[in-house]
Amino acid sequence: MTQTTKEIINNRIAKNSRPAVWRDVEDEKWNDWKWQLANRITTASQLKDIFGIGADEQKQIDMCLERFRMSITPYYASLMNVNDPGCPIRQQCIPTKNELRKNPGELSDPLAEVEQSPVSNIVHRYPDRVLFLLTDKCAMYCRHCTRRRLVGKTDCSISEEAVVNALEYIRQNTAIRDVLLSGGDPLMLPEGKLENIISRLRKIPHVEIIRIGTRVPVVLPMKITHELLQMLRKYHPIWINTHFNHPKEITEESARACEMIVDAGIPLGNQNVLLKGVNDNAGILKELYTRLVKIRVRPYYLYQCDVAEGIGHFRTPVEQGIEIMRSLRGYISGYAVPTFVIDAPMGGGKIPINPEYLVSINSDQAVMRNYKGEFYTYPNVTGKT
Ligand SMILES: *Cc1c(COP(=O)(O)O)cnc(C)c1O
Ligand code: SF4
């Protein structure tokens, strides 16, 4: 870890800031991803025992758990201030009764991924790339997950038959040059199985890049091991996108995981969701994005919250996201500015939604507004020789 990184990490989880039940766990165990997974919080009564939540809340959580799963790693849970209902960590991992509300326009499959699936586990929406869903498991189940119709339902990873069919589909479609491994969280697969799939994918000549979408660096950073990275780097070019939503999630542990990934030659991006009450604020996102680039993570997309069921309480007005983007562009490094997108319902794909900088355009000139709102013109050349 570089000195600068050390300086910016101000929220390292000291042993004595862990909840009492875990205070005596030796570091060796704490830093072992298997221990973290084995000790995940999955029931309301565990939350009561560990964090002392009240009976009312326990009841509400139990009701939510009939529909959507919960699973919180001790590492992630230790970042939470349980006494603050607005804590950005708490809101992302502990269900509230808001999840039981069904709002107009919400869909169980908001992105029509089922419809755009030519063979099971593949979503083919764009000409040159596909989504390849490897598992429905995640280290932690995010309360705002858009794919909750699948995620955490059966706890199973892909069958060999489905792998064969998916690979065959990719092999037959020579236009596919980019395969995005997703889920669930692909890094939850046993490493041998993951390598098996990636190595077979690599044998397909027209597959140029392989991408992995994973929240493991944020919620289970100890799972990013040298062995895992040694394996992945054999199959370069590999790209990874992770999912940090709040600066509180950048800790010594998660920063180290990101640095290890980048040091293995894997470009690392971040896709995050604009979440009401969690990060719907220009100051918070500015801090998140500038700190991410310090640990060499490139903000890639900022998503408007989808119309998935049970996440209405996280949704912000579209205008708010546009205003946030306006206060980022020009004010911080371009590298720290993601593209704000709405993943259109019904499978329309990701549509960039930007503040409008172009005021007018004709064959003579383009009139533009800069980041401060000042007007500039650029002489146009349309139709001139
Ligand atoms: C998001 C997504 C992709 C990747 O899109 P990029 O803009 O290239 O990151 C590909 N396929 C599906 C179905 C997606 O949802
Ligand atoms: S890690 Fe991704 S897929 Fe898994 S629960 Fe969170 S948002 Fe959903």
Side-chain angles (χ1 to χ4, degrees), residues 227-246:
E227 296 71 46
L228 173 70
L229 295 167
Q230 284 308 318
M231 182 277 276
L232 290 177
R233 67 185 307 167
K234 288 195 272 176
Y235 304 100
H236 268 321
I238 301 264
W239 292 61
I240 292 184
N241 263 325
T242 190
H243 178 171
F244 283 92
N245 278 326
H246 194 278

Side-chain angles (χ1 to χ4, degrees), residues 6 11 56 87 96 108 142 170 215 222 281 324 327 338 357 362:
K6 273 194 194 137
N11 45 2
D56 253 13
C87 168
T96 62
S108 92
C142 310
I170 296 169
R215 212 179 179 196
M222 43 294 281
N281 164 307
I324 289 176
S327 61
Y357 292 102
N362 59 32

Side-chain angles (χ1 to χ4, degrees), residues 71-313:
S71 156
I72 316 168
T73 55
Y75 161 80
Y76 196 77
S78 299
L79 298 176
M80 162 172 77
N81 176 1
V82 80
N83 298 319
D84 173 13
C87 168
I89 303 290
R90 191 194 213 279
Q91 292 193 74
Q92 288 184 72
C93 63
I94 299 188
T96 62
K97 63 174 187 294
N98 293 329
E99 294 189 18
L100 300 169
R101 257 198 345 241
K102 179 137 169 53
N103 302 296
E106 288 181 353
L107 304 162
S108 92
D109 177 15
L111 309 178
E113 291 183 330
V114 173
E115 207 172 299
Q116 294 179 335
S117 176
V119 293
S120 117
N121 299 67
I122 291 278
V123 184
H124 196 173
R125 174 175 303 148
Y126 296 109
D128 74 336
R129 55 208 188 280
V130 290
L131 208 58
F132 186 1
L133 306 176
L134 298 188
T135 175
D136 71 356
K137 273 188 228 180
C138 294
M140 178 188 91
Y141 293 109
C142 310
R143 302 331 301 172
H144 56 275
C145 181
T146 186
R147 222 172 266 145
R148 33 179 38 191
R149 74 176 190 285
L150 302 173
V151 159
K153 280 282 177 323
T154 55
D155 236 355
C156 65
S157 46
I158 188 167
S159 68
E160 174 57 23
E161 188 194 352
V163 174
V164 168
N165 292 337
L167 290 174
E168 190 49 32
Y169 179 81
I170 296 169
R171 211 173 280 122
Q172 298 293 327
N173 287 268
T174 51
I176 298 170
R177 37 167 296 285
D178 175 0
V179 177
L180 220 151
L181 305 180
S182 183
D185 199 313
L187 297 190
M188 292 298 285
L189 283 191
E191 232 164 275
K193 182 156 182 171
L194 182 62
E195 174 161 23
N196 175 281
I197 296 173
I198 293 179
S199 62
R200 288 153 80 187
L201 209 45
R202 249 302 152 246
K203 291 206 185 91
I204 304 175
H206 54 267
V207 172
E208 295 170 6
I209 64 170
I210 298 173
R211 294 197 244 180
I212 299 173
T214 175
R215 212 179 179 196
V216 158
V218 184
V219 296
L220 183 65
M222 43 294 281
K223 181 86 175 56
I224 305 298
T225 60
H226 287 291
E227 296 71 46
L228 173 70
L229 295 167
Q230 284 308 318
M231 182 277 276
L232 290 177
R233 67 185 307 167
K234 288 195 272 176
Y235 304 100
H236 268 321
I238 301 264
W239 292 61
I240 292 184
N241 263 325
T242 190
H243 178 171
F244 283 92
N245 278 326
H246 194 278
K248 261 187 108 172
E249 293 168 334
I250 305 180
T251 63
E252 182 165 333
E253 288 89 341
S254 61
R256 186 187 305 112
C258 292
E259 294 202 320
M260 284 169 66
I261 291 172
V262 180
D263 284 344
I266 301 174
L268 183 55
N270 189 67
Q271 323 200 59
N272 75 301
V273 189
L274 190 54
L275 299 169
K276 186 162 145 192
V278 174
N279 62 10
D280 60 333
N281 164 307
I284 290 175
L285 287 180
K286 216 177 271 184
E287 186 186 346
L288 174 67
Y289 296 144
T290 51
R291 288 179 65 181
L292 284 175
V293 294
K294 274 182 157 177
I295 56 169
R296 291 179 284 160
V297 179
R298 166 77 156 105
Y300 180 60
Y301 284 142
L302 167 64
Y303 287 94
Q304 170 73 12
C305 202
D306 280 331
V307 290
E309 283 169 347
I311 62 174
H313 52 296

